[in-house]
Amino acid sequence: MAKVLLKNLKKSYQNNQIIKNINLEINDGEFIVVLGPSGCGKSTMLRMIAGLEKVTEGEIYIGQTNVTKLEPKDRSIAMVFQNYALYPHMTVYKNIAYGLKLHKVPKAEIEKKVEIAAEMLQLKDLLQRKPNQLSGGQRQRVAMGRAIVREPNVFLFDEPLSNLDAKLRTQMRFEIKNIHRNVKTTSIYVTHDQIEAMTLADRIILLNKGEIEQIGTPNELYESPASTFVGGFIGNPPMNFISGEIANKYLQIDSLNSSKIAGIRPERIQITDKERETNKNECLIPFNIKMCESIGHETLIYGNIENSNTELIVKESSHSFVKNKKINLQILYKDLHLFNATNGKRL
Amino acid sequence: MEKRAIFNSKLFPYFFLAPQLLISFAFFFWPALIAIWQSFQEEDAFGLNTEFVWFDNYIEIFKDSNYITAIIVTIIFSISVTAICLIFSLFLAGLANKIKAGKIFYQTLIICPYAVAPAIAGVLWFFLFSPSIGYLANILIKNDIHWNPSLNGNHALILIILSASWKQISYNFLFYLASLQSIPKSLLEAASIDGASPLRRFFDIIIPMISPTTFFLFIMNMIYTFFDTFGIIYTTTHGGPGYSTTNLVYKVYVDGIVNLNLGSSSAQSVILMIFVSFITILHFRFVEKKVHY
Ligand SMILES: Nc1ncnc2c1ncn2[C@@H]1O[C@H](COP(=O)(O)OP(=O)(O)O)[C@@H](O)[C@H]1O
Ligand SMILES: [Mg+2]
């Protein structure tokens, strides 16, 4: 159990700065998800915390210890890799026990700990198998078991579920959450999947091009994105953006001009009749439908604002509107997010 | 859907196999059969009379103290060369796997000896270690080591062990490098997080992961030292001084071509044939059983 502290953390390969000045304090027992698009430096950041990658500049603290220059084995961490990285020549039992053996834990104690972990992860009947005799989900569990038995101060996960099929992924997500609830070890979990991030995280760190775009609870990121990047990354489909001029014209907000961008979530837009009285909390936008996609319980409507090339996506739970090509969208002012047009930051 | 081509004629397959069978027969089976036939015969010194003598040649061989010496020389030679090749090439491959700059150059350099013919390799090392003109021999002699492979049997044996190893390291290196490169990096990282020192990682992860390669190379090196080192011995020591560097294959040559004792020479070849068949079977058994990671 420990806090993790990153101070002015930087990483460059040759002259290419991959991680740009990251400052972060992770609380004891917290489940942190590092989210971001592919190539933004998530793995690099995690591997620096693990000690697998040299730190170019800055410091890393785990608990009270400055671990910046320590070997991985001296950092009291355990890591779950994307490809599981199980030792193929060892049985499941030996895979899980290997770290304990290296730390000279007495044999009887190793047996007890492995048994407890195997119980927790439903691996009891598989202990004598080799990794190549296991399914993807079982391998994933062994990798988790290997991390748990060591009782480290920090768990590190690098996209641990991305090699599993959708159903198994949901199930393992649930199990990871459960395990964290039981052992309460500080966890840093890297993923590019926002569903994983939203469901697992106490706090999400959204990374973009090696910089922190926003830190906050899943709800904070969804409800008040700190920038257009966050709005566009969180939510499926992503937030709609309307340039200031267009917004000014249709939303009748005087303060909106070309230096601003308005954002609205697809699921917050309502479809209404063509002609209607509006009250002071809402506005209507004329909209041309180009295409509708039904995904069972809901429908995605693609189209553009009349007389402009601003494309919007609307998420609806009914099918009635589909026949009409020209409709009105109802937007509540309280659902609008305003951003600075030049740097994308929230206003 | 059936993807194989199906031929109705029973003769057709044999037509396709014929070239392979013909070559195998003409260059492998026929000579082997002759060797087996000859190993049961004794010819007089002038080649005028041959007599069928059953297993006399075989019995004679094992009474010959030179043959026992050749077995011992072969064992020392093979084990030494195999050990040197495996250890040294793994070391070089480990380095080649680490470095970043000049990788291609370094790898090419190490592979070069493999392109040198055994006889030339022998000559090369003969000159390097020749007491009067050899560069390496000079260094030894300057350091008060009375180096003389043409008089000292142990020195001669060391010389052919070095030349044979030098040539075979390239081959081992290539396989080890490929094998090392196929170990996922995350395995070693996982081990280092688990608390393994570099030495532990080497023994607990790398050695087991490359063990199929090691076994393959062990067999290949054995076959190499048994059968392919004739050229090296011929050009460096001629099996001498005395019988100190005469291994089993060289003795086949000496007894057959130099001493013209064809019966004994053939019997020795047959023994070697049995040995190589045994190794090959062992190899295939192992390869079949081995789990592939
Ligand atoms: N060893 C390396 N040498 C040079 N560039 C690297 C190296 N490792 C990663 N990078 C670069 O760093 C960036 C971030 O990589 P990574 O942290 O793996 O991203 P991700 O967020 O997908 O995990 C990528 O652009 C990648 O090309
Ligand atoms: Mg990654």
Side-chain angles (χ1 to χ4, degrees):
Chain A
M1 296 279 184
K3 284 184 166 192
V4 176
L5 193 65
L6 308 184
K7 270 191 186 165
N8 302 320
L9 196 63
K10 289 175 193 159
K11 174 73 186 179
S12 304
Y13 289 112
Q14 289 88 43
N15 288 324
N16 211 347
Q17 201 169 40
I18 303 294
I19 296 289
K20 298 159 190 159
N21 201 26
I22 285 192
N23 283 289
L24 182 62
E25 195 175 341
I26 297 170
N27 298 322
D28 189 7
E30 204 174 12
F31 200 111
I32 287 285
V33 173
V34 180
L35 180 66
S38 189
C40 71
K42 306 180 295 290
S43 297
T44 307
M45 180 180 144
L46 195 74
R47 291 165 58 81
M48 280 199 284
I49 299 172
L52 299 172
E53 212 75 66
K54 273 208 188 90
V55 172
T56 309
E57 230 185 289
E59 285 164 347
I60 300 170
Y61 288 83
I62 294 178
Q64 301 303 316
T65 329
N66 182 347
V67 300
T68 316
K69 297 217 159 60
L70 294 186
E71 290 290 314
K73 67 184 168 72
D74 302 324
R75 296 187 179 205
S76 181
I77 50 149
M79 184 157 166
V80 178
F81 292 80
Q82 179 171 355
N83 63 0
Y84 320 132
L86 302 179
Y87 311 123
H89 54 289
M90 297 186 194
T91 59
V92 169
Y93 181 91
K94 283 186 175 159
N95 261 285
I96 297 177
Y98 184 61
L100 296 174
K101 208 178 107 198
L102 289 176
H103 285 90
K104 306 217 159 53
V105 177
K107 211 169 172 208
E109 202 175 322
I110 294 182
E111 263 171 40
K112 217 172 84 198
K113 284 186 172 177
V114 174
E115 195 173 322
I116 292 170
E119 184 81 50
M120 192 181 337
L121 294 158
Q122 301 148 41
L123 290 170
K124 282 201 98 163
D125 302 330
L126 308 173
L127 286 175
Q128 293 316 316
R129 295 221 192 145
K130 294 269 181 73
N132 63 359
Q133 297 165 314
L134 301 177
S135 71
Q138 290 167 336
R139 283 178 209 190
Q140 180 60 59
R141 288 210 180 86
V142 178
M144 296 279 303
R146 191 167 64 176
I148 291 170
V149 287
R150 298 255 320 281
E151 295 170 16
N153 281 334
V154 183
F155 280 144
L156 305 175
F157 300 85
D158 193 351
E159 313 227 7
L161 305 184
S162 57
N163 284 356
L164 301 178
D165 62 55
K167 193 168 161 228
L168 211 50
R169 208 178 303 159
T170 315
Q171 186 191 336
M172 284 307 295
R173 206 166 69 205
F174 187 75
E175 282 186 30
I176 290 177
K177 187 90 193 163
N178 246 337
I179 288 168
H180 181 251
R181 226 173 261 145
N182 285 336
V183 299
K184 294 194 178 57
T185 306
T186 313
S187 303
I188 307 176
Y189 184 108
V190 160
T191 182
H192 65 266
D193 182 317
Q194 50 167 310
I195 307 285
E196 270 171 39
M198 300 296 266
T199 50
L200 284 172
D202 291 328
R203 282 192 301 161
I204 295 177
I205 295 165
L206 190 58
L207 219 56
N208 180 24
K209 294 184 184 143
E211 280 177 298
I212 294 182
E213 200 78 24
Q214 185 169 8
I215 305 178
T217 63
N219 246 340
E220 279 167 6
L221 263 71
Y222 178 79
E223 297 293 352
S224 45
S227 64
T228 49
F229 178 83
V230 181
F233 196 83
I234 304 273
N236 185 23
M239 184 179 267
N240 292 301
F241 295 106
I242 309 171
S243 73
E245 292 127 314
I246 301 282
N248 191 358
K249 193 167 152 200
Y250 291 100
L251 305 183
Q252 294 107 34
I253 304 175
D254 294 337
S255 67
L256 275 177
N257 52 41
S258 62
S259 72
K260 292 173 188 168
I261 293 178
I264 176 89
R265 295 236 172 249
E267 51 274 30
R268 292 289 162 81
I269 303 177
Q270 298 292 324
I271 289 188
T272 77
D273 297 329
K274 187 90 180 145
E275 303 302 334
R276 207 187 74 177
E277 283 294 305
T278 58
N279 61 36
K280 66 179 198 321
N281 298 324
E282 61 171 26
C283 64
L284 295 184
I285 304 177
F287 187 70
N288 294 331
I289 296 178
K290 282 182 179 163
M291 188 177 77
C292 293
E293 273 179 356
S294 174
I295 46 172
H297 61 295
E298 55 198 19
T299 305
L300 298 179
I301 304 163
Y302 300 85
N304 61 318
I305 297 177
E306 213 170 80
N307 302 325
S308 83
N309 50 14
T310 304
E311 309 258 339
L312 297 183
I313 304 176
V314 181
K315 197 167 173 180
E316 274 288 324
S317 48
S318 75
H319 293 259
S320 54
F321 45 82
V322 177
K323 288 159 200 131
N324 246 334
K325 282 289 174 201
K326 288 186 188 231
I327 52 169
N328 264 351
L329 302 180
Q330 175 209 30
I331 291 174
L332 300 178
Y333 288 125
K334 71 170 176 57
D335 290 333
L336 280 178
H337 305 263
L338 296 184
F339 303 98
N340 182 324
T342 37
N343 62 14
K345 293 276 177 264
R346 185 184 191 82
L347 294 169
Chain B
M1 223 181 69
E2 184 71 71
K3 279 200 174 144
R4 283 176 305 172
I6 305 226
F7 299 112
N8 290 325
S9 162
K10 285 235 154 54
L11 282 177
F12 229 60
Y14 296 102
F15 175 74
F16 283 116
L17 283 173
Q20 169 86 50
L21 289 176
L22 220 64
I23 289 172
S24 301
F25 185 78
F27 294 102
F28 298 105
F29 293 120
W30 183 243
L33 285 175
I34 291 190
I36 292 171
W37 177 242
Q38 277 187 345
S39 71
F40 292 113
Q41 293 188 320
E42 196 169 329
E43 206 171 53
D44 68 23
F46 303 102
L48 300 174
N49 279 314
T50 49
E51 188 189 347
F52 195 83
V53 294
W54 287 107
F55 289 95
D56 279 5
N57 285 325
Y58 291 91
I59 294 162
E60 286 296 314
I61 289 173
F62 287 99
K63 283 182 186 159
D64 180 3
S65 71
N66 287 336
Y67 191 75
I68 308 298
T69 313
I71 290 178
I72 293 169
V73 167
T74 306
I75 290 172
I76 295 174
F77 178 65
S78 300
I79 299 287
S80 311
V81 171
T82 302
I84 290 174
C85 283
L86 288 179
I87 292 169
F88 202 64
S89 62
L90 179 57
F91 176 69
L92 290 178
L95 293 181
N97 197 24
K98 276 259 155 58
I99 59 165
K100 294 197 173 79
K103 197 167 191 158
I104 304 276
F105 178 73
Y106 177 67
Q107 290 174 7
T108 312
L109 222 57
I110 295 178
I111 294 163
C112 273
Y114 195 57
V116 177
I120 308 296
V123 172
L124 201 97
W125 284 84
F126 174 76
F127 279 121
L128 278 174
F129 276 108
S130 149
S132 46
I133 51 172
Y135 177 73
L136 294 178
N138 265 334
I139 293 176
L140 288 175
I141 289 165
K142 275 206 187 100
N143 286 301
D144 271 349
I145 297 164
H146 297 290
W147 176 260
N148 196 343
S150 55
L151 294 178
N152 185 320
N154 289 338
H155 291 180
L157 195 56
I158 290 172
L159 179 53
I160 60 163
I161 286 172
L162 284 179
S163 352
S165 307
W166 175 76
K167 206 182 126 34
Q168 189 68 356
I169 279 173
S170 313
Y171 183 84
N172 286 253
F173 169 80
L174 274 182
F175 278 88
Y176 266 145
L177 185 60
S179 185
L180 286 178
Q181 282 171 345
S182 71
I183 299 177
K185 216 171 128 221
S186 57
L187 271 190
L188 299 171
E189 290 174 347
S192 74
I193 288 177
D194 264 345
S197 63
L199 206 65
R200 282 309 288 262
R201 270 175 278 173
F202 180 73
F203 284 109
D204 291 351
I205 313 293
I206 296 178
I207 294 272
M209 290 293 287
I210 62 174
S211 65
T213 307
T214 304
F215 181 76
F216 167 78
L217 287 174
F218 177 81
I219 299 286
M220 294 315 279
N221 288 341
M222 277 305 203
I223 293 175
Y224 163 77
T225 51
F226 265 75
F227 302 100
D228 278 358
T229 44
F230 173 83
I232 287 175
I233 297 173
Y234 184 75
T235 49
T236 33
T237 63
H238 281 287
Y243 276 91
S244 59
T245 55
T246 299
N247 67 359
L248 291 171
V249 163
Y250 199 78
K251 194 162 186 319
V252 170
Y253 158 78
V254 171
D255 286 350
I257 310 292
V258 181
N259 301 338
L260 289 176
N261 187 348
L262 285 181
S264 170
S265 174
S266 301
Q268 291 175 34
S269 324
V270 171
I271 291 172
L272 282 177
M273 266 192 276
I274 292 168
F275 177 77
V276 82
S277 320
F278 173 74
I279 284 192
T280 312
I281 290 167
L282 189 77
H283 183 204
F284 282 130
R285 274 280 173 83
F286 188 82
V287 167
E288 272 166 18
K289 250 199 289 179
K290 191 77 204 163
V291 263
H292 292 282
Y293 300 130

